[in-house]
Amino acid sequence: MRTSVTFALLISSACLLLGGPNDWPQFRGPKASGVAEGFKVPISWNVETGENVRWKTRIPGSAHSSPIVWGDRVYVQTAQGPNYADLKVGLYGNIASVDEKDEQSWRLLALDKATGKILWNKLVLKAVPRVKRHTKATHCNSTPATDGKYIVAFFGSEGLFCFDMNGKLLWNCLLYTSPSPRD
């Protein structure tokens, strides 16, 4: 999936240059402003030539979530399953949900901000999705958030999960305690 290959585009600019008091802890950064105050960031880049790209790292699966940055780490979540080749983008008429009956894997990863090396890759959950996804979406659309002590990841119908900064699962809140609504 092209989304996993082009992860570098998401972090090639502001996210790699942030650190300390300018961490990027949630969707759209500090105070959800989408602004990295006081940093000179590239306004253009080219993945193929490497212009203004510090590193590229292949991330398994597919996600529409954004990366977050805290200290020297970049955190990203993803969902991996056999049918993401069916992910459609652009304008088209058929908007029926994708009925996936195959098991998916939801993951949280930590990468080194300076090198892009994957420091850890935690399997959070492996299950058949409880809710169908839209053809333009993935099973991992929400961005994780952190306060520098905890990372919280929301995996839609599969639940809310809290980790320490080293990827240890501290608690979860599964949204369904009964069998899947498909049963």
Side-chain angles (χ1 to χ4, degrees):
M1 179 73 214
R2 191 137 194 107
T3 304
S4 64
V5 176
T6 59
F7 175 68
L9 284 177
L10 296 173
I11 58 178
S12 64
S13 57
C15 291
L16 284 175
L17 301 174
L18 299 172
N22 295 303
D23 294 319
W24 201 261
Q26 63 188 13
F27 180 69
R28 294 185 48 81
K31 299 178 185 175
S33 68
V35 176
E37 297 277 343
F39 288 93
K40 184 178 178 183
V41 296
I43 58 171
S44 65
W45 57 86
N46 186 315
V47 174
E48 291 176 16
T49 66
E51 174 192 2
N52 288 326
V53 175
R54 186 172 294 182
W55 49 261
K56 295 188 282 186
T57 300
R58 180 176 286 281
I59 303 296
S62 187
H64 286 157
S65 62
S66 297
I68 60 172
V69 178
W70 194 269
D72 62 354
R73 293 185 178 180
V74 175
Y75 298 92
V76 65
Q77 60 188 45
T78 185
Q80 190 173 13
N83 293 325
Y84 282 109
D86 296 339
L87 185 67
K88 296 179 181 178
V89 295
L91 298 174
Y92 55 90
N94 183 4
I95 59 168
S97 297
V98 178
D99 190 19
E100 295 170 317
K101 294 179 173 65
D102 296 316
E103 200 170 61
Q104 308 286 313
S105 298
W106 287 266
R107 298 182 168 278
L108 180 66
L109 295 86
L111 292 84
D112 181 275
K113 184 171 74 171
T115 66
K117 177 184 177 194
I118 295 176
L119 302 172
W120 47 261
N121 179 346
K122 302 291 181 175
L123 176 64
V124 177
L125 180 67
K126 197 170 192 176
V128 174
R130 296 182 177 278
V131 175
K132 298 175 184 179
R133 69 174 171 86
H134 189 279
T135 55
K136 291 185 178 185
T138 71
H139 285 294
C140 191
N141 294 325
S142 299
T143 298
T146 186
D147 63 356
K149 187 173 180 183
Y150 305 104
I151 302 168
V152 178
F154 180 62
F155 292 108
S157 63
E158 308 314 312
L160 182 67
F161 298 82
C162 181
F163 304 85
D164 69 15
M165 298 303 280
N166 293 312
K168 178 183 176 192
L169 180 64
L170 301 175
W171 56 262
N172 65 57
C173 178
L174 301 176
L175 300 181
Y176 292 101
T177 55
S178 61
S180 169
R182 293 182 180 186
D183 295 343

